């Protein structure tokens, strides 16, 4: 069994490289410090609600490959869709 090329493998590999933390020296403490530095602090004024949504694997991979901020872009797209599809055009449903 050899390596099998596929678009999914390429996309997964690209995502892994994008999310990699490279630490050349310092061992485990340096890795922990690098990972901690990447974490985001708490929101000052929480405006978003955590939820779970299911996407097809290829859709999620494509979204993530658009880079940092992909969740914000999905949120903006959903907001636009709601606005365009609400009965009164305001984006609210009553």
């Amino acid at each position: 069994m050899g390596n099998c090329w596929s678009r999914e493998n390429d996309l997964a590999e690209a995502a892994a490289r994008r999310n990699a933390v490279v630490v050349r020296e310092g061992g485990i403490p340096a890795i922990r410090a690098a990972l901690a530095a990447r974490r985001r602090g708490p929101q000052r004024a929480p405006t978003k609600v955590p939820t779970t949504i299911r996407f097809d694997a290829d859709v999620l991979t494509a979204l993530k490959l658009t880079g940092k901020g992909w969740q914000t872009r999905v949120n903006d797209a959903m907001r636009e869709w709601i606005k365009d599809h609400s009965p009164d055009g305001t984006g609210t449903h009553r």
Side-chain angles (χ1 to χ4, degrees):
M1 228 192 244
N3 287 341
C4 179
W5 177 88
S6 73
R7 178 166 163 58
E8 290 79 19
N9 289 345
D10 284 350
L11 294 175
E13 188 175 316
R17 278 194 306 270
R18 186 178 54 255
N19 294 322
V21 173
V22 178
V23 177
R24 301 207 189 286
E25 297 177 9
I28 299 296
I31 293 170
R32 286 190 179 128
L35 289 171
R38 289 178 50 162
R39 291 192 188 124
R40 190 176 148 177
Q43 286 184 328
R44 291 190 182 137
T47 58
K48 308 235 172 149
V49 178
T51 188
T52 300
I53 186 169
R54 293 178 180 267
F55 290 107
D56 291 335
D58 60 325
V59 171
L60 181 59
T61 299
L63 289 169
K64 287 183 174 184
L65 284 174
T66 65
K68 195 171 189 175
W70 71 269
Q71 291 175 327
T72 300
R73 288 188 293 280
V74 169
N75 189 73
D76 294 344
M78 293 295 94
R79 184 180 308 284
E80 188 68 26
W81 188 92
I82 291 168
K83 180 182 165 195
D84 291 346
H85 292 83
S86 65
D88 60 1
T90 65
T92 59
H93 290 276
R94 295 172 208 237

